[in-house]
Amino acid sequence: MSATPGATDGPGSGGRRDGGRPVPRRPRARLRLSGADPWSVMTTSFLISLTLGVCSIVTVALLWVLLTVVGAVAWRSLGWALALTAGVAVLEVALTTALATLAAFIYNMSAGLVGGVELTVTEDE
């Protein structure tokens, strides 16, 4: 029994609430993520990490120019800084791609054992 008359939405109320208005129903879908394609994970992680590597090289170049304009003492040349940054970016791209692909393989093995991740998706109003 409800404290407010006409505001119930239990059995026998016909799904009506607040003076006879119907309760809006949100569509729901239950999804299960049971596997990830390692090839698509590898290509996506490669492209994302490559983009981040290029962004880091551009950032170092812009910071070097900014420090030169403000008059900060440069103890090495711009070429040395960009070469070091490019080396770190190549290492980051290789490690990120390899670790993401390995994570996809591990997820696929564990999803085979426990069934994967279950998601409930509702439509937002």
Side-chain angles (χ1 to χ4, degrees):
M1 180 151 208
S2 176
T4 310
T8 63
D9 124 317
S13 67
R16 305 224 176 243
R17 180 179 285 243
D18 296 332
R21 292 187 313 217
V23 176
R25 296 200 51 153
R26 291 185 180 169
R28 295 172 54 131
R30 292 180 66 129
L31 305 173
R32 183 175 302 267
L33 182 59
S34 59
D37 182 30
W39 180 258
S40 82
V41 170
M42 185 184 76
T43 55
T44 303
S45 65
F46 173 75
L47 289 175
I48 290 173
S49 60
L50 183 69
T51 304
L52 291 175
V54 170
C55 287
S56 66
I57 293 172
V58 170
T59 301
V60 166
L62 290 176
L63 282 175
W64 194 271
V65 169
L66 179 70
L67 289 174
T68 304
V69 167
V70 236
V73 177
W75 58 279
R76 297 279 182 175
S77 67
L78 175 62
W80 180 85
L82 288 180
L84 181 66
T85 306
V88 170
V90 165
L91 185 66
E92 177 257 337
V93 167
L95 285 177
T96 302
T97 303
L99 288 176
T101 307
L102 180 65
F105 277 113
I106 291 173
Y107 178 78
N108 286 340
M109 288 190 314
S110 66
L113 295 173
V114 296
V117 176
E118 187 172 315
L119 304 169
T120 302
V121 182
T122 59
E123 186 176 326
D124 202 16
E125 291 183 26

